Amino acid sequence: MGKLYIEGGKPLAGKIEISGAKNSAVALIPAALLADGPVVIENLPRIQDVEIYTEILRDMGAELLWEDDWIEIDGRSLRTTTMPNGRVKKLRASYYLWGALLGKCGEVSVGLPGGCDLGPRPVDLHIKGFQALGARVENKNGMLSLKAERLRGARIYLDLVSVGATINIMLAAARAEGVTVIENAAREPEIVDVATLLNNMGANIKGAGTDVIRIEGTDRLRGCRHTIIPDRIEAGSYMILAAAAGADIVIENVIPKHLESVSAKLREIGAEVSEGDDSIHVIGRTKYRPVDVKTAPYPGFPTDLQQPMTTLLTQVKGSSIITDNIYASRFRHVDELRRMGAAIKVEGRSALIDGGAKLVGAKVVATDLRAGFALVIAGLISNGVSEIDGVQHIERGYENLVGKLQGLGASVWKEAGEASNVTRRKTINGTQLDA
Ligand code: EPZ
C-alpha cells in the first residue's frame, strides 16, 4: 500500500486548477461504446479509476487512443460482452457497462462490482430499471447476465434517488424502442454531463438535471467530441481544505453553481467565500461557528464531502453534528481522526464533533478516497508529520494530489518508488507505446 507523508502546519496559499469530474468520466467512457463511430472525451482526469476503465475496454477489444487529458474511444471493434472478473471488482462504477452494453449489444455478462468500502452498496434499482426495459436478468455464480432481444421504453419510478441507477437506465434507454421516462431521477451535474454526450451522439434526452428524465430511443448514435465538466467534489474538497487551514486559496476551473451547498455551509461556519465566473475564492479564518450539516442528494450537501467536512469541524470550537443521509456507514475516517486527537462520537448516521482540539501528526490509514482526503486535510493542519497509508485510494479521485498540494506550499511527499498518479500512456488498441 502506498504511503503519503505530510509535515503539518505549513502556511498554504495560492491557486489550484480543478480536473475533469471523476464521476462523469466513469460514466462517459462506457457511454462512448454506444456510438457507431469514434468518440473523443476531453478534460479527462488522469486518475486510477479512468486507468482501470481503459484497461477493461481494451480487454474487450475497444480501440482506445489516450493522450494527456483526452481519449478517443471506438467501440466498433468490441469483440465480447463478457467481462473478466478481476478489473471489474476493483471499480464499482464498472456497472455502467451494464447499461451501455445492454443498449449497444442487447446483452452483457459481468462480475458483480467491487469498489470502495462504504458498506453494502446494492444495485437493485439498476436491475429493476433494466427489467422494466425488457431485459432478462440472471445471477449465475457471481456473474450477472443481462439479455434483451429488443429493449422497449418504459416508465420507471426510482424508489430511491440514485445517481448510478439514473445514469445506467439512461444508457440502456438511449437505444431502446420508444420512450422511457425516469421518475424520481437523481439531479447530479454528472447526469447532465452524460445526457449532453448522448444528445451530441444523436440521442433524444430531455430533463436531465431534474427529477423526471425523458429518453426517446434512437437506432443509431454517432461519434462526437465532448468535454467533461469540472469535478465539483475535488473542488469542494479543496474549498474545505482552505477553510480548515485558514488559507487564502483560489479554486479555478469550477462551475460555482455546482458548489452552492458547500459555499453556503462554509459561509455559515464563518469562512469568506466569493464566486467568479469559473472560480471560487475561499479565505479561511481562525474563528468559526459550530454548525449542523446534513447530506442530501444534489443540490443538497454532497455525501462525498461529509468526511472532509468532519475534519474541518474538528477545528470549530463547540459542538457540531454531521449527518449522512445517503450512506449509513461512511464514518471509517473517524477512528483515524481520533488517533490525531479529534474528539468525535458516531451515533447512528451522525458524527457528533466536540471541536477545537489541536490535531497532532500520526500514522493513519485511508479506507476510501474521501476518507483519505479528510486525513490529508488533518495532516496539513496538525502539528508534526503524518503518514497516511493507502494513498492509492485517494488517487482514485484526486488527480496529481501531491503536485497540487505542493503548489499551495504544503510539505507533502510519497514513499519513494511508489507509482505516482497515473502516468501519461499512449495506447493504441492494446499496444502500449512509450510515454
Ligand atoms: C455515486 O455512487 C457516486 N459514485 C458516489 O461517489 C456518491 O457518493 C453517490 O453517487 C451519492 O452521491 C459515482 O458516481 C461513480 P447512488 P452511486 O446510487 O451511484 C442506495 C465518490 O466518492 N442504492 O446515488 O453508487 C445506495 O446504497 C463516490 O466519488 C440502492 O439502495 O450512489 C445509497 O444509499 C463514493 N440501490 C443511495 O442509494 C441501488 O440500486 C445513493 O446511491 C442503488 C443505490
Side-chain angles (χ1 to χ4, degrees):
M1 299 272 263
K3 290 187 171 70
L4 185 71
Y5 295 90
I6 302 177
E7 185 187 358
K10 298 286 178 197
L12 304 180
K15 296 179 183 228
I16 196 158
E17 180 87 13
I18 296 304
S19 305
K22 166 182 85 78
N23 292 346
S24 279
V26 294
L28 295 168
I29 289 171
L33 295 175
L34 284 164
D36 301 324
V39 172
V40 175
I41 299 171
E42 296 170 322
N43 196 31
L44 187 72
R46 273 193 313 283
I47 52 177
Q48 289 175 20
D49 277 11
V50 169
E51 170 96 352
I52 297 170
Y53 238 123
T54 56
E55 288 162 1
I56 291 175
L57 295 198
R58 254 200 325 272
D59 286 353
M60 300 174 67
E63 294 229 339
L64 299 180
L65 173 60
W66 181 6
E67 299 239 1
D68 294 332
D69 71 345
W70 61 267
I71 190 169
E72 181 179 273
I73 297 171
D74 191 336
R76 284 176 295 184
S77 55
L78 214 62
R79 59 169 183 271
T80 175
T81 59
T82 299
M83 288 307 309
N85 252 344
R87 300 196 205 282
V88 163
K89 285 214 172 307
K90 288 192 288 185
L91 180 62
R92 173 178 167 80
S94 57
Y95 56 36
Y96 288 133
L97 282 168
W98 307 349
L101 293 175
L102 204 49
K104 179 183 181 70
C105 314
E107 64 172 20
V108 58
S109 171
V110 62
L112 288 170
C116 48
D117 177 4
L118 293 175
R121 295 182 71 188
V123 287
D124 56 309
L125 298 177
H126 301 238
I127 303 298
K128 171 183 162 185
F130 296 139
Q131 289 173 318
L133 295 172
R136 289 187 317 284
V137 184
E138 282 166 35
N139 180 345
K140 285 187 278 201
N141 43 31
M143 290 293 275
L144 195 71
S145 157
L146 300 165
K147 273 198 172 58
E149 278 66 51
R150 188 86 184 98
L151 291 171
R152 284 193 177 70
R155 179 175 288 276
I156 300 165
Y157 182 88
L158 291 178
D159 307 337
L160 267 177
V161 175
S162 160
V163 174
T166 301
I167 291 177
N168 232 343
I169 293 167
M170 206 162 62
L171 293 176
R175 290 187 60 171
E177 206 167 290
V179 174
T180 296
V181 177
I182 306 173
E183 293 177 310
N184 199 30
R187 295 182 281 166
E188 272 68 4
E190 293 74 26
I191 293 164
V192 179
D193 210 15
V194 175
T196 304
L197 168 68
L198 292 172
N199 283 337
N200 287 345
M201 288 158 70
N204 185 341
I205 300 173
K206 292 188 174 58
T210 75
D211 60 350
V212 180
I213 301 177
R214 184 183 187 280
I215 303 117
E216 190 167 341
T218 48
D219 262 349
R220 290 183 55 76
L221 294 173
R222 58 181 178 271
C224 65
R225 185 176 283 270
H226 177 82
T227 301
I228 300 180
I229 59 171
D231 193 320
R232 62 192 169 93
I233 303 301
E234 183 196 18
S237 301
Y238 285 107
M239 288 169 67
I240 293 168
L241 163 59
D248 181 334
I249 296 178
V250 179
I251 292 108
E252 297 185 320
N253 186 33
V254 299
I255 299 174
K257 173 101 183 119
H258 291 168
L259 288 148
E260 279 180 342
S261 64
V262 183
S263 299
K265 194 49 75 176
L266 292 181
R267 289 188 187 109
E268 186 186 339
I269 290 172
E272 193 178 318
V273 182
S274 50
E275 293 164 354
D277 291 341
D278 59 357
S279 64
I280 292 183
H281 185 186
V282 178
I283 302 177
R285 300 281 182 233
T286 48
K287 284 217 173 322
Y288 289 134
R289 294 179 290 277
V291 291
D292 284 6
V293 183
K294 293 179 179 62
T295 68
Y298 189 86
F301 190 91
T303 172
D304 294 346
L305 293 176
Q306 176 261 101
Q307 296 148 301
M309 182 58 96
T310 302
T311 303
L312 167 55
L313 294 175
T314 66
Q315 302 306 294
V316 179
K317 273 197 177 23
S319 300
S320 294
I321 303 178
I322 189 160
T323 301
D324 198 329
N325 295 310
I326 310 294
Y327 295 112
S329 57
R330 201 171 189 172
F331 292 109
R332 293 192 57 191
H333 54 301
V334 169
D335 283 347
E336 304 305 308
L337 289 173
R338 279 208 199 101
R339 292 160 62 84
M340 300 177 79
I344 310 175
K345 205 166 59 175
V346 175
E347 281 183 6
R349 284 181 172 267
S350 298
L352 313 176
I353 300 145
D354 182 6
K358 272 268 158 263
L359 300 182
V360 289
K363 285 190 177 187
V364 289
V365 178
T367 50
D368 66 83
L369 72 163
R370 310 304 175 186
F373 201 89
L375 299 177
V376 166
I377 297 176
L380 290 166
I381 62 175
S382 58
N383 294 323
V385 177
S386 295
E387 174 193 290
I388 303 175
D389 200 354
V391 66
Q392 66 284 0
H393 288 301
I394 311 173
E395 290 182 325
R396 279 189 46 216
Y398 292 93
E399 182 182 42
N400 189 20
L401 174 73
V402 171
K404 291 188 180 184
L405 291 174
Q406 287 173 342
L408 294 173
S411 172
V412 53
W413 65 97
K414 284 173 64 170
E415 198 161 64
E418 280 305 319
S420 69
N421 275 352
V422 171
T423 47
R424 290 180 182 74
R425 286 217 175 93
K426 293 186 182 177
T427 313
I428 297 181
N429 197 16
T431 318
Q432 198 152 304
L433 309 179
D434 292 338

